[in-house]
């Protein structure tokens, strides 16, 4: 994946994360709650997509695409387009790319959606409160303070 090409660990480098998603896939695939797609051009795979299906929406969780020598080939764009087309044919009305402002294909395919607010809950540990404060996030510091308050009360 891209993370490995950039010298970083990919999102599935964590064994617990992998185990969790294997359990989710094992439980939800046959029930139609999980979607695993392989997109090919001819016989060559160009993209893999992992999504969650709820009602008439597919929430695209994780993707992986081949690296193209020619940037105009855009295997990610092609894969998402084909996944959207496949899902539209199955009656899916919404293909949610989930929030991530870093990915250009999300800006290419989607209009801005509703505002997304993140909330992290952490155990009342000094290290975690210090991390929240050092991050400069007032919301994270507030959650740490709230957690400490709840632990006292």
């Amino acid at each position: 994946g891209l993370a490995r090409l950039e010298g970083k660990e990919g999102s599935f480098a964590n064994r617990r994360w992998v185990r969790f998603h294997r359990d989710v896939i094992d439980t939800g695939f046959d029930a139609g709650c999980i979607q695993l797609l392989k997109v090919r051009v001819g016989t060559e795979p160009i993209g893999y997509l992992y999504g969650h299906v709820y009602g008439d929406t597919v929430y695209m969780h994780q993707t992986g695409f081949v690296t193209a020598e020619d940037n105009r080939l855009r295997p990610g764009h092609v894969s998402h387009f084909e996944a959207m087309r496949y899902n539209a044919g199955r009656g899916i009305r919404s293909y949610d790319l989930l929030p991530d402002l870093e990915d250009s294909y999300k800006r290419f395919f989607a209009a801005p959606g509703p505002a997304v607010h993140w909330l992290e809950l952490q155990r009342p540990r000094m290290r975690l409160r210090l991390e929240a404060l050092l991050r400069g996030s007032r919301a994270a510091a507030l959650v740490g303070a709230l957690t400490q308050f709840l632990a006292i009360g």
Side-chain angles (χ1 to χ4, degrees):
L2 182 59
R4 284 199 192 117
L5 290 175
E6 294 176 348
K8 302 174 188 171
E9 292 289 328
S11 62
F12 285 92
N14 181 311
R15 282 188 236 158
R16 285 188 296 183
W17 181 253
V18 170
R19 192 174 332 117
F20 170 78
H21 282 282
R22 281 189 177 151
D23 289 346
V24 168
I25 292 167
D26 287 345
T27 304
F29 186 78
D30 288 338
C33 300
I34 297 296
Q35 186 174 87
L36 299 172
L37 300 176
K38 180 192 315 185
V39 178
R40 296 182 190 160
V41 171
T43 60
E44 294 297 313
I46 63 165
Y48 298 88
L49 301 99
Y50 164 35
H52 304 272
V53 181
Y54 183 74
D56 63 356
T57 301
V58 173
Y59 299 91
M60 202 44 60
H61 180 80
Q62 189 69 37
T63 58
F65 309 114
V66 298
T67 303
E69 297 276 331
D70 183 348
N71 193 35
R72 295 175 297 173
L73 297 177
R74 305 235 183 230
H77 286 80
V78 172
S79 296
H80 278 293
F81 177 79
E82 290 300 324
M84 289 174 196
R85 195 162 74 160
Y86 167 78
N87 281 294
R90 295 180 60 233
I92 297 292
R93 295 174 46 103
S94 179
Y95 185 88
D96 194 324
L97 295 166
L98 300 175
D100 183 354
L101 300 177
E102 302 282 324
D103 289 322
S104 65
Y105 69 87
K106 293 181 181 184
R107 291 189 304 271
F108 177 82
F109 279 117
V116 176
H117 303 281
W118 298 95
L119 176 65
E120 290 183 29
L121 300 177
Q122 299 177 333
R123 294 185 174 162
R125 300 235 163 75
M126 181 59 77
R127 181 181 65 83
L128 296 175
R129 277 186 259 135
L130 181 60
E131 176 186 326
L133 290 170
L134 290 175
R135 250 194 250 157
S137 169
R138 291 184 355 194
L142 177 61
V143 168
L146 179 61
T147 304
Q148 180 182 16
F149 174 76
L150 293 173
I152 294 171

